[in-house]
């Protein structure tokens, strides 16, 4: 059984919407949830160091996460389910997802790959984040996307 996320409010992206560079992380850690901003903990400090080496400022980079919720164990796989479970859940959620984002090409069956750990699949209730992320990337129209 998957864990519930620690934060009920998603950690929003930071940086200018029209940045030339977009950095997309996996999911927030504790520091990110506490400050409601991506990449402000240890990984964020490392990111800032690398940006400085490259002659860039955090103020010129858009930073977001694929999954804006934090697992209580800090492992994205712990928010996930086994494939058989998500296949059934997707059938239950498919119409809701289509209603929420009708322009997104929702498949008939759950077709997304596992996340991180083999056998860990994102529950359909979180899939609405995919078209939001696609919109975010399209809106920013960055020259470079760093996953």
């Amino acid at each position: 059984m998957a864990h519930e996320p620690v934060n009920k409010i998603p950690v929003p992206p930071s940086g200018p919407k029209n940045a030339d560079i977009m950095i997309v992380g996996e999911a927030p850690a504790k520091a990110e949830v506490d400050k409601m901003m991506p990449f402000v903990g240890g990984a964020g400090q490392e990111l800032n160091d690398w940006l400085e080496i490259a002659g860039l400022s955090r103020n010129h980079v858009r930073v977001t996460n694929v999954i804006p919720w934090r697992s209580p164990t800090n492992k994205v796989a712990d928010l996930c389910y086994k494939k058989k479970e998500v296949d059934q859940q997707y059938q239950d959620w498919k119409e809701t997802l289509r209603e929420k984002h009708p322009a997104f090409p929702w498949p008939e069956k759950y077709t997304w790959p596992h996340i991180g750990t083999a056998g860990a699949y994102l529950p359909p209730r979180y899939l609405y984040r995919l078209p939001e992320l696609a919109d975010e990337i399209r809106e920013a129209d960055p020259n470079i996307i760093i996953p």
Side-chain angles (χ1 to χ4, degrees):
M1 184 71 165
H3 296 283
E4 289 298 313
V6 170
N7 55 313
K8 300 299 180 201
I9 299 170
V11 173
S14 69
K17 289 186 176 183
N18 61 346
D20 287 335
I21 299 172
M22 178 178 261
I23 296 172
V24 182
E26 182 182 53
K30 184 178 183 330
E32 286 76 15
V33 170
D34 290 346
K35 294 183 179 177
M36 290 306 284
M37 186 175 184
F39 284 87
V40 294
Q45 184 55 55
E46 189 172 339
L47 170 63
N48 293 341
D49 292 346
W50 282 106
L51 288 172
E52 186 177 328
I53 290 168
L56 299 168
S57 163
R58 187 68 188 256
N59 297 329
H60 298 96
V61 176
R62 183 81 169 162
V63 183
T64 192
N65 286 299
V66 173
I67 301 168
W69 304 278
R70 178 179 175 265
S71 157
T73 61
N74 212 31
K75 296 177 182 172
V76 172
D78 288 338
L79 293 175
C80 298
Y81 289 86
K82 300 290 182 195
K83 181 73 163 95
K84 184 177 178 181
E85 294 169 302
V86 295
D87 284 341
Q88 180 54 51
Q89 290 177 14
Y90 184 70
Q91 294 310 310
D92 298 339
W93 275 83
K94 187 170 43 180
E95 290 310 312
T96 301
L97 292 167
R98 286 179 173 163
E99 287 171 14
K100 188 167 179 81
H101 294 284
F104 193 77
W106 298 106
E108 285 303 311
K109 294 182 178 182
Y110 188 101
T111 57
W112 291 275
H114 63 83
I115 294 179
T117 307
Y121 294 84
L122 192 62
R125 69 176 183 248
Y126 298 139
L127 292 178
Y128 74 85
R129 172 67 180 137
L130 297 178
E132 290 174 0
L133 180 60
D135 289 347
E136 198 176 313
I137 292 169
R138 203 172 11 263
E139 184 178 308
D141 193 25
N143 293 324
I144 299 172
I145 299 174
I146 302 171

